[in-house]
Amino acid sequence: MTTFHIPTQSNFIEAEGTRYAYRTFGREEGVPLVLFVHFRGTMENWDPALLAPLAEVRPVIVFDNKGIGETDGETPTTITEMAQDAVTFIRALGLEQVDVLGFSIGGMVAQEVALQEKTLIRKMVLAGTAPEAGVNPSQEVFERMNRHGGTEQDGINDFMFFFYGDTETSRAAGMASLKRIFAQKRFDSSDQVKEAQLQAIAKWAQPKPKTHYEWLRTIEHPVLVTNGVKDVMAPTENSYLLTEKIPNAQLIVYPDAGHGHLFQFPELFAAHVNLFLDSDAI
């Protein structure tokens, strides 16, 4: 296990009336890798066991988008607006080109950024996510996502249900990851973030007649799509759709894993991401 230091203090930058919080670390040279986090997550929800091997070989940037964590403002209710805010933040840093890793709702935002700002992204990783009008999760998932109140243990149980499989090996790796995240976690997202992101996901999931996902063919960037073999949050069928329709996409499916595959196999996932980002093959 690498011991690369992950910073715990945030930097701030003002852009278009919003004060964005972010942390940057890793190598100074190379194309920066910007991470877009999952539903209700802040930049402290990334597993440090995943961040460290990424930072060993490239600059890494984690940030709180508008209204989340340490960033002020109000979280918008559409993926399009979230993508616009992400672009505003990246441009404010003076970056002309970045790589992007988008997880869950972060992968939806990443797709929108690729469509809005084609030259800003060099390569993109889409982990445990879905295209617009993709395959929806079960009613049980929606109900648990919308649940209010409950104990801390209820929250942990929901997280394990959403992110990991029902095997002992998957759940044990998930709990180990959760402990690493809890050890660094200081800021939570608000109820406003939850409600806004739920609205955005619901709009993104609405069926679009006769689209056949052809709009995905306009994403010309090299893309790595990843998922667990059984993702209940963003059903794994969506990963096959993304890979089939995006012209320069490739797919990795992790065994005995679900939505949280990148945290279940942090070092292996990081190795795959590093190989993809460093390769000239596509």
Side-chain angles (χ1 to χ4, degrees):
M1 180 79 67
T2 182
T3 57
F4 190 91
H5 174 68
I6 307 300
T8 57
Q9 297 298 316
S10 300
N11 301 310
F12 297 90
I13 191 167
E14 186 89 16
E16 297 186 10
T18 299
R19 184 173 179 257
Y20 290 89
Y22 70 100
R23 300 173 192 175
T24 181
F25 47 96
R27 298 281 293 271
E28 293 186 1
E29 67 276 3
V31 178
L33 175 63
V34 184
L35 276 60
F36 297 175
V37 77
H38 60 75
F39 174 66
R40 299 194 70 189
T42 73
M43 60 180 156
E44 294 178 331
N45 280 91
W46 292 105
D47 189 332
L50 166 62
L51 297 181
L54 295 173
E56 290 284 356
V57 294
R58 66 190 73 257
V60 175
I61 300 171
V62 295
F63 77 109
D64 288 335
N65 210 346
K66 192 171 183 179
I68 297 171
E70 296 181 271
T71 295
D72 60 18
E74 189 169 282
T75 298
T77 59
T78 68
I79 299 298
T80 297
E81 292 172 283
M82 293 175 187
Q84 292 168 350
D85 292 334
V87 169
T88 296
F89 163 72
I90 294 169
R91 294 291 191 195
L93 294 180
L95 299 173
E96 295 183 357
Q97 192 171 60
V98 298
D99 294 326
V100 168
L101 193 169
F103 175 30
S104 193
I105 191 174
M108 301 171 190
V109 175
Q111 292 172 62
E112 271 293 303
V113 171
L115 292 170
Q116 293 178 18
E117 298 280 342
K118 291 184 181 296
T119 62
L120 182 61
I121 294 178
R122 185 185 71 109
K123 291 187 175 186
M124 182 165 58
V125 181
L126 300 176
T129 193
E132 189 174 15
V135 178
N136 287 331
S138 69
Q139 186 61 34
E140 180 183 5
V141 170
F142 281 121
E143 289 174 357
R144 292 179 78 153
M145 288 174 69
N146 279 283
R147 184 160 64 182
H148 294 276
T151 66
E152 180 178 331
Q153 187 59 49
D154 289 333
I156 292 173
N157 291 341
D158 282 345
F159 182 82
M160 296 302 293
F161 168 76
F162 289 143
F163 275 57
Y164 299 101
D166 56 8
T167 65
E168 291 185 8
T169 48
S170 182
R171 292 182 66 83
M175 284 303 300
S177 173
L178 195 59
K179 289 177 181 178
R180 293 190 294 266
I181 292 171
F182 276 174
Q184 68 183 4
K185 186 84 171 150
R186 295 178 300 153
F187 298 95
D188 289 317
S189 58
S190 67
D191 288 340
Q192 190 275 320
V193 171
K194 175 184 176 181
E195 296 304 322
Q197 290 187 344
L198 282 172
Q199 290 183 51
I201 292 170
K203 293 171 185 174
W204 181 263
Q206 286 298 309
K208 292 186 179 300
K210 299 182 180 179
T211 61
H212 301 293
Y213 309 104
E214 291 305 311
W215 64 274
L216 288 170
R217 296 193 184 280
T218 66
I219 298 178
E220 299 175 351
H221 310 75
V223 176
L224 173 62
V225 181
T226 70
N227 213 332
V229 68
K230 187 178 180 181
D231 185 344
V232 301
M233 284 282 282
T236 306
E237 294 93 327
N238 290 296
S239 296
Y240 289 96
L241 281 171
L242 289 165
T243 309
E244 176 188 0
K245 297 299 183 180
I246 297 174
N248 293 314
Q250 56 186 295
L251 173 65
I252 298 176
V253 176
Y254 294 83
D256 185 36
H259 196 60
H261 60 283
L262 65 174
F263 296 162
Q264 182 171 337
F265 301 102
E267 293 187 313
L268 177 62
F269 180 85
H272 287 155
V273 170
N274 284 331
L275 180 64
F276 166 70
L277 294 179
D278 290 340
S279 174
D280 293 327
I282 63 170

